[in-house]
Amino acid sequence: MPIYYRLGQLPPKRHTIFRSPQGAFYYEQLFGTIGFDGMSSLLYHLHRPTQVKAVLDSVDLRPTAGVDHNIMSRKLIGFDVPPANDYLESRTPLLFNNDVVLGVAAPRASLTDYFYKNADADELLFVHRGAGTLRTMLGTIAFVPGDYLLIPRGMIYQINFDVTDVPEGTRLLYLESTSPIYTPKRYRNHFGQQLEHSPYSERDYKLPQNLETHDERGDFVMKIKKEGILHTLVYDTHPFDVVGWDGYNFPYGFSIHNFEPITGRIHQPPPVHQTFETKSCVVCSFVPRLYDYHPEAIPAPYNHSNIDSDEVLYYVDGDFMSRNGISPGILTLHPGGIPHGPHPGAMERSIGKTKTDELAVMVDTFRPLKLTNQALGIDDGVYFQSWRE
């Protein structure tokens, strides 16, 4: 990000004795990344965070390719992915490579029966439909439609959905990244603060609140994803037993509606929409904005070649001016190696328009994406021909 944050009780000095009012020790844990070189937080637990009682079954969650070497533009009907009761079972991988997994989810129920930890990847959840609360060992974050939820690797969490408030069902887009997800470097100074020309600031973050501290013993089921395998473990104490923490490594939220678009006299390139970055991909937010204001401007994007990246667009809401036949919940894949651009008629329709109301999320990966069989099952099969006159 980075931003310093603290919540709960802390000793005046790190790595020193810290006791409860009753005299019991609190147990310190460094929650860090990239060895001891990345962002980290210091956590203080009621109980040792190491008390594994049992290691049970394991399930292979590694996605498999239905199409390994793809050159075809695709349109995936995301809302055709059926709902599932279990949160993890509802997550349907559609596109992946060695760096990322991109998919959609339609959970019917909250994740409350067990705790989850992704030890492989940072997770970025985009809430398309639904609301609720992300519960983590570092506090809670309330979310609503349009929120990104960034969950660092190794974070223990549960998630509550207000399913009764969403008759059409909860819908999520999710990204798993094996490299850390950060805010774009060009929008930060050398201290890490967001610069004045950044399209958002630290004030826009949804930071953890309401630290839950449970002093409980029992059988607490933890599902941990490691090397693509989901392992089930049983812990002796409640995972949410943190009395306080501080540092830079923690979950946070950010609303796509707080992204301030960058506009110009002529059409601006996609990087102005960038919201997050990793070593292997970027995430962009397309939000309602004024169109280009040069008197001869063409607001529709120009044709461009994806030579070095695969482009995925997830359509959320509004008027998708550069595409025909698009509606919410659809994903389009434009693979590297072939050019793409506005559909026939879109460029002409855009001339003279003053604004757009589109809302979409874009993920560009720096290595080619494979399609899962689940993706092939919701592919319309003809999108690649949609640019023909």
Side-chain angles (χ1 to χ4, degrees), residues 108-140:
R108 286 198 189 98
S110 299
L111 168 54
T112 57
D113 293 338
Y114 57 88
F115 299 85
Y116 177 57
K117 175 197 292 188
N118 191 333
D120 281 336
D122 284 18
E123 294 189 356
L124 184 66
L125 309 181
F126 176 77
V127 183
H128 188 171
R129 292 179 175 173
T133 303
L134 175 68
R135 300 175 57 225
T136 80
M137 61 183 182
L138 301 187
T140 63

Side-chain angles (χ1 to χ4, degrees), residues 79-375:
F79 282 1
D80 281 356
V81 171
N85 289 330
D86 181 80
Y87 168 69
L88 289 183
E89 290 179 3
S90 78
R91 290 167 52 138
T92 302
L94 301 176
L95 305 161
F96 72 99
N97 57 28
N98 289 336
D99 307 312
V100 302
V101 177
L102 187 64
V104 296
R108 286 198 189 98
S110 299
L111 168 54
T112 57
D113 293 338
Y114 57 88
F115 299 85
Y116 177 57
K117 175 197 292 188
N118 191 333
D120 281 336
D122 284 18
E123 294 189 356
L124 184 66
L125 309 181
F126 176 77
V127 183
H128 188 171
R129 292 179 175 173
T133 303
L134 175 68
R135 300 175 57 225
T136 80
M137 61 183 182
L138 301 187
T140 63
I141 302 172
F143 59 84
V144 295
D147 281 350
Y148 292 103
L149 297 172
L150 199 156
I151 306 171
R153 71 201 58 218
M155 178 62 56
I156 301 170
Y157 74 88
Q158 294 184 324
I159 189 165
N160 291 353
F161 298 106
D162 300 333
V163 291
T164 56
D165 295 336
V166 191
E168 67 272 26
T170 300
R171 290 282 173 173
L172 308 173
L173 173 74
Y174 73 90
L175 170 72
E176 299 180 53
S177 172
T178 58
S179 57
I181 301 174
Y182 300 132
T183 58
K185 185 177 181 181
R186 69 179 181 280
Y187 291 138
R188 290 184 269 116
N189 63 23
H190 61 284
F191 295 107
Q193 184 181 9
Q194 298 292 109
L195 292 164
E196 283 297 298
H197 66 282
S198 170
Y200 56 90
S201 75
E202 292 86 352
R203 194 177 299 179
D204 296 315
Y205 297 152
K206 290 188 168 186
L207 301 175
Q209 305 293 326
N210 305 319
L211 183 64
E212 297 185 34
T213 306
H214 294 262
D215 187 2
E216 301 175 34
R217 291 187 178 274
D219 294 326
F220 298 93
V221 177
M222 177 92 67
K223 296 194 176 185
I224 301 174
K225 186 177 179 183
K226 182 65 175 176
E227 295 183 294
I229 309 299
L230 188 67
H231 304 277
T232 300
L233 285 72
V234 179
Y235 274 74
D236 187 46
T237 55
H238 197 293
F240 296 169
D241 71 340
V242 175
V243 299
W245 63 272
D246 74 335
Y248 290 80
N249 190 27
F250 51 87
Y252 69 97
F254 171 73
S255 173
I256 194 172
H257 301 295
N258 281 329
F259 186 91
E260 301 299 335
I262 298 170
T263 61
R265 292 188 75 220
I266 58 175
H267 191 80
Q268 300 298 294
V272 303
H273 307 286
Q274 188 178 345
T275 313
F276 302 102
E277 70 178 12
T278 77
K279 291 181 179 179
S280 53
C281 73
V282 298
V283 179
C284 298
S285 300
F286 290 87
V287 301
R289 63 193 183 277
L290 295 178
Y291 272 148
D292 323 310
Y293 44 89
H294 186 285
E296 298 295 321
I298 300 176
Y302 36 78
N303 296 302
H304 53 284
S305 290
N306 285 11
I307 301 302
D308 298 315
S309 64
D310 278 12
E311 175 192 285
V312 180
L313 271 162
Y314 179 80
Y315 301 91
V316 180
D317 203 358
D319 177 22
F320 311 113
M321 61 91 175
S322 64
R323 293 284 178 272
N324 302 329
I326 292 297
S327 58
I330 285 176
L331 300 92
T332 56
L333 168 64
H334 307 124
I338 55 174
H340 73 280
H343 274 144
M347 182 196 77
E348 295 82 356
R349 290 195 304 268
S350 75
I351 295 173
K353 297 289 182 66
T354 59
K355 64 179 182 178
T356 176
D357 292 322
E358 66 184 353
L359 199 64
V361 176
M362 185 173 78
V363 180
D364 280 7
T365 63
F366 305 146
R367 289 203 278 188
L369 290 164
K370 310 174 195 298
L371 285 90
T372 64
N373 286 316
Q374 296 100 313

